[in-house]
């Protein structure tokens, strides 16, 4: 009989070491939905079979569900109980058919997990544990089932009914209703289940696979958005072809659908054959989307499609293995995107993202390995470590093994584990077996948190004509981990002759010891060191290279990342010295930037990235104690000096890269990027006409890339045109949610002194809502990343963020928890800011009814 739900217990950690195989398997699951926003009835029919020899009951996870009916082998039973939120049914036999029935209210589901309403649609999000909010089920990724789904709904409100697999039947019902039935022949975990019902229109196309099989493609959106789906469709077809060419992976069903949803906690979800996307990663046209938006659509569509094999056909055994699917698939989408444009610019972008988010995570209280050992709420582990560092670990395997052996390893992995729930160890073992390489030490990358540090000391043995390179590695202590052994680090390097500007060849060294010394002959004079070329390992390198050597590399290094890195390091060294000593010797940076701008052999897209100043957050990461005000002042001074001293060069670049019409090509993107970087420096110069130049671009722009760049420059300034531009932008795009997000974030990122006041006012704007994750991220997330303004010494920024987290916790705990880490970096700041941030974390924890999502992030951050 039904017991009262137990009072919620204090959040408990789940440990990887406690993994046990499921007691019961569910070979097939039939779902019957009677859909309506206020009241949806779900009937589930599970074929269950005992897994192993035991007498334990069948436990079906639920969240907020009340069973209306339970049947076993066709007979209604009252021999069941609720244990917390789980339905427990004693099972005397080894197999049975279990039927349950529940009612849920999608329009009340503000968590956006399970089945929820969004803009007139009904849709699902089940990863990681949302399926238990739909029906009772063993909600874990190692229970794989074949699904059949029947949906019935009002035909006018919900004319389109979609689910996984292929549609096998559809038709009309009495009273203006209709139905659709879907069958997915491939076993999958419940987190990959999907359902969408609504008034949608499709951009349709057909892709013919390498074996000649036609696949029906559809990108589903609101009818008004159809013109903005062309890029997503093209990205999908490119992804399908690329996966065949590079990995030999062919699509396995007759249909593939993408649906765009306005309210979504993530970027997108790889549900088998029915990908549900945040609209931000589907809709794109030149008027409303920037080049970065176009790139993101390409990358995210690719990412979710690639999951069909690396995540769906082979899924993860438990959530501790999350990087098995995410790290591998991020690596795949990074390589795909690199092949569609500038590989050098893509690599720079990926490393900048890694350093800006994952390196910070790895050095703070929330540091964890790519295969964590414990968690309280798995939603908190969809992190830059799991995704981005995980991708770097896969990239290192690719570097060590080479492309051919890596492909053999991936083929072996897919063959061995197709239709299974696998582990990170299974992946590494496949690579090991295919290549013959011993990866025992390499496995430490899966178990250690923290970013390894490599100290490089280059000397010259004149008597022997040798360069002597001593490399010392260490892995810092992180929460729960200390005394770590040396890592296996694949390090690409080259030694440049100063006179000729050339090197003997790139070397790939596998570092396995705490200290490695290399003696390299053939140098009459001390060479210049280019190290971690291509960012061959996700490490922090400390190499004693002076300004002259860095300027040399910024001019001569033939590795694009090495050249970029030299320029960035020169800038960082200059800015850190300015903060620490007050010295402002900008000449080396100015000269290096001048030479880079003058080098017509370089790709403008690369030049633009190389001459952009490092972020204030990244500069702070190089300091023992972050001083936001001093960093901001030093960076603004260097920006102004570069703007004034090289004003002629910036104006020339601005004029040279003007374009007529929009094209999404690497060349056109590079020209726009270079022109907008030049505009930023012209604004920084303080020239009397700078505001007018920016406003003229804003008004005349025929694409969002140029318009938004101009708006951003004005929003950061005191130019007279600033307010007018913001008003014009809002009034022009106020009915477009994605572009309105840009309007909010542009103001939240502004470094003006009045930014917090503006953000607090925007939080009460008629177009702002805590129920929409995109809008929260565009305002609150952007402001929390604005180092000089969020970290104002009076703590007002911290209080604003804490207030938002507390309010959001009651609406969407998962999105609320994602905002907490900005407060968790308190140890990196001065004592005054530390105390203020800790007080806000404690206030969050003291809030009655705090979710386990927020509790885990805040308690670990306070630590």
């Amino acid at each position: 009989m039904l017991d009262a739900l137990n009072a919620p217990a204090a959040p408990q950690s789940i440990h990887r070491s406690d993994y046990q195989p499921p007691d019961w398997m569910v070979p097939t699951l039939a779902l019957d939905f009677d859909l309506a926003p206020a009241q949806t009835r779900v009937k589930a029919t599970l074929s269950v079979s005992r897994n192993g020899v035991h007498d334990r009951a069948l436990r079906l996870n639920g969240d907020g569900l009340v069973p209306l009916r339970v049947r076993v082998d066709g007979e209604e039973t009252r021999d069941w109980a609720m244990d917390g939120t789980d339905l427990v049914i004693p099972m005397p036999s080894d197999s049975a058919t279990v039927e349950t029935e529940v009612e849920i209210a999608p329009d009340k589901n503000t968590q956006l997990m399970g089945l929820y309403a969004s803009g007139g649609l009904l849709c699902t999000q089940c990863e990681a544990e949302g399926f238990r909010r739909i029906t009772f089920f063993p909600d874990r990724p190692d229970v794989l089932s074949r699904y059949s789904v029947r949906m019935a709904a009002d035909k006018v409100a919900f004319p389109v009914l979609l689910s996984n697999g292929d549609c096998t039947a559809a038709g009309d019902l009495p009273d203006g209703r209709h139905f659709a039935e879907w069958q997915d022949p491939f076993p999958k975990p419940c987190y990959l289940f999907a359902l969408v019902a609504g008034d949608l229109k499709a951009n349709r196309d057909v892709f013919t696979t390498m074996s000649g099989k036609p696949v029906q493609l559809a990108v589903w959106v609101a009818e008004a958005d159809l013109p903005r789906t062309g890029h997503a469709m093209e990205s999908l077809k490119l992804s399908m072809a690329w996966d065949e060419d590079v990995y030999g992976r062919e699509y396995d069903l007759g249909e593939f659908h993408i649906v765009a949803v306005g309210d979504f906690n993530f970027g997108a979800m790889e549900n088998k054959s029915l990908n549900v996307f945040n609209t931000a990663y589907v809709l794109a046209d030149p008027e409303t989307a920037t080049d970065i938006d176009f790139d993101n659509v390409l990358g995210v569509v690719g990412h979710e499609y690639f999951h069909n094999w690396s995540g769906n056909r082979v899924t993860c055994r438990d959530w501790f293995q999350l990087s098995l699917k995410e790290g591998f698939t991020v690596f795949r989408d990074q390589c795909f995107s690199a092949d569609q444009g500038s590989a050098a610019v893509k690599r720079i972008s990926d490393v900048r993202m890694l350093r800006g988010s994952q390196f910070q995570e790895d050095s703070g209280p929330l540091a964890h390995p790519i295969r964590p050992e414990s968690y309280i709420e798995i939603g908190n582990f969809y992190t830059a470590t799991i995704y981005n560092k995980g991708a770097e670990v896969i990239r290192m395997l690719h570097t060590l093994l080479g492309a051919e052996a890596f492909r053999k390893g991936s083929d072996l992995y897919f063959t061995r584990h197709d239709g299974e729930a696998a582990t990170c160890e299974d992946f590494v073992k496949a690579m090991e077996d295919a290549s013959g390489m011993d990866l025992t030490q390499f496995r430490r990358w899966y178990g250690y948190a923290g970013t390894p540090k490599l100290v490089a000391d280059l000397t010259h043995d004149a008597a022997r004509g040798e360069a002597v390179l001593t490399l010392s590695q260490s892995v810092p202590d992180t929460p729960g981990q200390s005394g770590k052994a040396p890592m296996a680090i694949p390090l690409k390097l080259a030694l440049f002759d100063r006179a000729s500007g050339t090197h003997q060849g790139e070397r790939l060294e596998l570092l396995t010891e705490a200290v490695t010394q290399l003696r390299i002959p053939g140098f009459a004079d001390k060479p210049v060191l280019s190290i971690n070329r291509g960012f061959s390992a996700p490490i922090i390198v400390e190499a004693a290279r002076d300004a002259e050597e860095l300027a040399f590399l910024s001019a001569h290094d033939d590795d694009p990342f090495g050249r970029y890195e030299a320029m960035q390091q020169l800038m960082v060294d200059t800015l850190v010295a300015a903060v620490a000593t007050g010295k402002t010797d900008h000449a080396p940076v100015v000269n290096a930037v001048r030479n880079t701008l003058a080098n017509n052999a370089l790709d403008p897209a690369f030049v633009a990235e190389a001459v952009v100043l490092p972020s204030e957050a990244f500069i702070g990461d190089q300091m023992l104690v972050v001083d936001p005000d001093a960093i901001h002042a030093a960076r603004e001074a260097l920006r102004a000096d570069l703007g004034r001293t090289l004003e002629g060069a910036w104006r020339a670049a601005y004029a040279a890269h003007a374009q007529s019409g929009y094209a999404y090509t690497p060349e056109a993107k590079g020209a726009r990027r270079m022109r907008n970087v030049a505009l930023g420096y012209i604004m920084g110069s303080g020239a009397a006409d700078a505001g007018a130049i920016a406003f003229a671009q804003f008004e005349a722009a025929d694409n969002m890339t140029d318009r938004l760049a101009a708006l951003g420059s004005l929003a950061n300034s005191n130019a007279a045109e600033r307010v007018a531009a913001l008003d014009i932008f809002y009034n022009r795009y106020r009915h477009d949610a994605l572009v309105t997000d840009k309007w909010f974030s542009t103001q939240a990122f502004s470094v003006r002194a009045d930014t917090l006041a503006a953000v607090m006012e925007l939080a009460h704007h008629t177009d702002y809502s805590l129920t929409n994750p995109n809008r929260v991220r565009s305002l609150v997330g952007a402001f929390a990343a604005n180092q000089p303004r969020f970290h104002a010494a009076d703590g007002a920024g911290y209080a604003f963020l804490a207030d938002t987290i507390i309010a959001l916790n009651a609406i969407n705990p998962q999105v609320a928890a994602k905002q907490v880490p900005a407060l968790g970096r308190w140890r990196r700041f001065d004592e005054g800011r530390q105390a203020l941030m800790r007080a806000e974390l404690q206030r969050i924890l003291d809030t009655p009814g705090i979710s386990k999502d927020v509790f885990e992030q805040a308690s670990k951050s306070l630590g």
Side-chain angles (χ1 to χ4, degrees):
M1 61 183 296
L2 178 62
D3 293 338
L5 295 179
N6 296 338
Q12 299 294 312
S13 293
I14 298 170
H15 296 270
R16 185 170 71 92
S17 59
D18 292 338
Y19 172 83
Q20 295 292 328
D23 288 338
W24 292 85
M25 305 305 289
V26 186
T28 63
L29 172 63
L31 295 170
D32 190 331
F33 290 87
D34 187 356
L35 293 166
Q39 185 181 69
T40 289
R41 184 159 291 217
V42 185
K43 298 177 182 178
T45 303
L46 299 75
S47 67
V48 301
S49 59
R50 197 182 304 272
N51 188 29
V53 179
H54 63 83
D55 60 0
R56 291 182 288 278
L58 173 66
R59 177 178 291 270
L60 304 177
N61 305 120
D63 182 357
L65 302 179
V66 175
L68 303 179
R69 187 170 296 171
V70 179
R71 291 190 180 97
V72 177
D73 290 333
E75 298 293 330
E76 191 157 352
T77 179
R78 296 179 65 81
D79 187 16
W80 54 267
M82 294 297 294
D83 180 11
T85 60
D86 292 349
L87 174 63
V88 179
I89 309 172
M91 300 294 293
S93 61
D94 288 342
S95 62
T97 299
V98 176
E99 300 170 73
T100 65
E101 190 172 336
V102 299
E103 279 187 356
I104 53 179
D107 62 355
K108 299 294 194 298
N109 184 356
T110 62
Q111 294 186 33
L112 311 184
M113 294 294 291
L115 178 65
Y116 65 94
S118 171
L121 304 180
L122 295 177
C123 56
T124 57
Q125 171 58 34
C126 294
E127 188 176 357
E129 295 178 340
F131 193 72
R132 65 185 64 190
R133 295 172 59 81
I134 298 173
T135 189
F136 289 105
F137 195 78
D139 191 351
R140 46 188 291 171
D142 56 353
V143 175
L144 278 63
S145 311
R146 286 184 171 87
Y147 282 64
S148 60
V149 178
R150 186 182 191 277
M151 296 167 281
D154 181 89
K155 190 171 183 178
V156 173
F158 304 104
V160 175
L161 302 173
L162 303 172
S163 191
N164 308 95
D166 295 319
C167 186
T168 56
D172 290 334
L173 296 169
D175 301 322
R177 295 168 63 76
H178 71 139
F179 77 95
E181 296 177 358
W182 293 76
Q183 295 268 353
D184 185 355
F186 292 95
K188 64 174 178 284
C190 64
Y191 80 84
L192 290 173
F193 167 74
L195 173 159
V196 175
D199 187 2
L200 296 163
K201 303 299 179 183
N203 177 351
R204 296 183 181 274
D205 208 329
V206 178
F207 179 82
T208 302
T209 69
M210 60 186 182
S211 66
K213 181 180 70 176
V215 180
Q216 302 298 319
L217 310 178
V219 178
W220 296 89
V221 296
E223 185 172 13
D225 291 328
L226 267 177
R228 295 198 280 169
T229 59
H231 181 60
M233 179 61 80
E234 183 63 22
S235 298
L236 175 58
K237 292 188 294 182
L238 287 171
S239 303
M240 298 175 82
W242 187 89
D243 213 18
E244 291 182 346
D245 292 343
V246 179
Y247 282 89
R249 299 295 112 188
E250 183 177 13
Y251 187 62
D252 49 15
L253 285 168
E255 302 181 34
F256 189 92
H257 302 268
I258 290 174
V259 180
V261 177
D263 300 287
F264 204 68
N265 285 345
F266 302 98
M269 181 62 211
E270 70 268 19
N271 316 298
K272 183 72 178 182
S273 77
L274 178 55
N275 286 187
V276 179
F277 272 60
N278 189 320
T279 50
Y281 300 104
V282 172
L283 305 181
D285 66 5
E287 173 65 19
T288 60
T290 65
D291 290 341
I292 291 174
D293 294 328
F294 274 86
D295 290 346
N296 287 341
V297 170
L298 177 76
V300 176
V301 168
H303 180 96
E304 304 308 330
Y305 174 76
F306 300 146
H307 266 313
N308 187 58
W309 278 93
S310 52
N312 296 4
R313 288 285 289 264
V314 183
T315 192
C316 48
R317 184 195 73 178
D318 53 67
W319 292 120
F320 298 103
Q321 319 297 329
L322 181 58
S323 195
L324 170 71
K325 72 183 185 79
E326 296 301 347
F328 185 22
T329 306
V330 170
F331 171 69
R332 276 151 55 75
D333 84 55
Q334 288 176 347
C335 294
F336 164 67
S337 293
D339 286 348
Q340 311 310 311
S342 168
V345 170
K346 176 59 177 168
R347 189 63 184 137
I348 290 168
S349 173
D350 291 339
V351 174
R352 185 183 288 141
M353 179 180 294
L354 182 82
R355 287 170 165 171
S357 56
Q358 197 281 321
F359 275 24
Q360 288 190 357
E361 192 169 82
D362 238 355
S363 63
L366 299 177
H368 55 276
I370 66 169
R371 185 185 57 203
E373 294 299 324
S374 68
Y375 62 79
I376 293 175
E377 168 52 55
I378 184 55
N380 289 330
F381 281 82
Y382 286 74
T383 61
T385 295
I386 300 297
Y387 282 67
N388 302 88
K389 185 176 182 179
E392 294 299 322
V393 170
I394 303 301
R395 187 181 293 271
M396 286 190 290
L397 279 172
H398 189 277
T399 298
L400 285 172
L401 273 57
E404 183 177 351
F406 184 88
R407 169 64 189 271
K408 289 179 180 177
S410 68
D411 286 348
L412 181 59
Y413 167 71
F414 288 131
T415 300
R416 277 182 179 174
H417 301 290
D418 189 10
E420 294 181 357
T423 65
C424 295
E425 174 58 27
D426 292 329
F427 184 87
V428 177
K429 189 67 169 63
M431 291 292 166
E432 199 169 47
D433 291 348
S435 67
M437 179 177 288
D438 183 354
L439 297 173
T440 300
Q441 186 175 1
F442 186 85
R443 287 172 169 85
R444 291 173 186 164
W445 283 100
Y446 284 88
Y448 285 176
T451 305
K453 183 169 78 172
L454 185 70
V455 177
D457 180 37
L458 179 65
T459 60
H460 181 243
D461 185 336
R464 301 175 63 174
E466 291 179 339
V468 182
L469 181 60
T470 303
L471 302 163
S472 306
Q473 63 158 295
S474 60
V475 187
D477 292 347
T478 51
Q481 293 186 339
S482 59
K484 299 169 191 175
M487 307 290 277
I489 299 176
L491 186 71
K492 291 182 178 180
L493 60 91
L495 296 174
F496 278 82
D497 176 71
R498 294 171 188 262
S500 66
T502 62
H503 59 82
Q504 299 173 347
E506 183 176 86
R507 303 168 63 99
L508 174 60
E509 302 287 345
L510 178 58
L511 309 183
T512 58
E513 304 296 331
V515 179
T516 301
Q517 188 174 86
L518 304 174
R519 300 188 70 92
I520 305 170
F523 292 97
D525 299 300
K526 183 181 178 182
V528 178
L529 174 64
S530 172
I531 190 168
N532 206 24
R533 291 160 65 85
F535 201 72
S536 59
I539 59 177
I540 295 171
V541 175
E542 291 186 4
R545 295 177 293 183
D546 60 26
E548 182 182 349
E549 291 174 308
L550 292 171
F552 172 91
L553 290 170
S554 76
H556 298 287
D557 202 331
D558 59 342
D559 173 57
F561 181 80
R563 186 174 229 154
Y564 160 84
E565 183 81 329
M567 179 72 83
Q568 293 292 295
Q569 191 62 54
L570 181 59
M571 292 173 172
V572 167
D573 290 349
T574 299
L575 291 166
V576 170
V579 172
T581 67
K583 295 180 181 178
T584 55
D585 181 10
H586 296 162
V589 173
V590 171
N591 290 332
V593 170
R594 178 187 288 112
N595 292 336
T596 299
L597 289 173
N599 189 340
N600 294 324
L602 296 176
D603 177 9
F606 169 81
V607 172
E609 300 306 326
V611 301
V612 168
L613 292 173
S615 72
E616 295 184 27
F618 184 69
I619 299 164
D621 289 342
Q622 318 309 309
M623 305 173 67
L624 289 175
V625 177
V626 181
D627 185 338
D629 297 328
I631 291 170
H632 179 64
R635 188 177 183 276
E636 286 297 291
L638 178 55
R639 176 171 170 261
D641 199 356
L642 283 166
R644 287 191 298 267
T645 306
L646 303 178
E647 184 177 349
W650 296 123
R651 289 178 182 263
Y654 185 77
H657 292 95
Q659 300 179 84
S660 176
Y662 182 88
Y664 180 69
T665 64
E667 296 77 19
K669 289 195 303 179
R672 281 190 292 274
R673 176 65 168 150
M674 186 66 245
R675 190 167 194 256
N676 288 321
V677 167
L679 175 63
Y681 277 112
I682 293 169
M683 290 292 291
S685 73
D689 62 344
I693 293 172
F695 190 73
Q697 175 174 314
F698 172 83
E699 288 275 72
D702 62 2
N703 64 84
M704 181 55 69
T705 304
D706 288 341
R707 179 168 286 117
L708 192 65
L711 182 67
S713 291
L714 290 167
N716 274 299
S717 75
N718 295 316
E721 299 87 351
R722 176 182 177 275
V723 174
L726 287 167
D727 288 345
I728 292 168
F729 191 90
Y730 172 74
N731 288 323
R732 181 168 181 165
Y733 298 108
R734 61 183 301 180
H735 299 299
D736 187 307
L738 295 177
V739 184
T740 303
D741 287 338
K742 301 180 194 300
W743 181 76
F744 277 97
S745 62
T746 296
Q747 294 172 84
F749 278 129
S750 172
V751 296
R752 286 167 51 96
D754 61 355
T755 293
L756 175 57
V759 167
M760 294 178 73
E761 184 176 345
L762 288 168
H764 294 92
H765 193 279
T766 184
D767 289 327
Y768 183 74
S769 173
L770 285 175
T771 62
N772 181 265
N774 282 355
R775 195 53 49 87
V776 172
R777 287 186 283 258
S778 71
L779 182 66
V780 181
F783 175 68
N786 183 342
Q787 181 166 288
R789 300 308 164 215
F790 174 64
H791 291 285
D794 64 0
Y798 309 148
F800 168 75
L801 180 60
D803 288 342
T804 302
I805 291 169
I806 291 168
L808 193 54
N809 175 76
I811 299 169
N812 192 326
Q814 193 167 79
V815 175
K818 293 294 185 185
Q819 314 307 315
V820 174
L823 293 168
R825 301 189 68 243
W826 57 267
R827 295 166 182 81
R828 301 284 290 113
F829 293 82
D830 59 85
E831 291 183 0
R833 288 181 172 90
Q834 286 189 19
L836 292 166
M837 281 190 271
R838 292 179 63 207
E840 297 303 336
L841 286 167
Q842 189 63 56
R843 181 161 69 93
I844 292 168
L845 285 171
D846 290 342
T847 301
I850 204 74
S851 66
K852 67 176 182 178
D853 310 61
V854 174
F855 171 84
E856 179 174 32
Q857 296 289 78
S859 61
K860 288 182 177 178
S861 294
L862 194 56

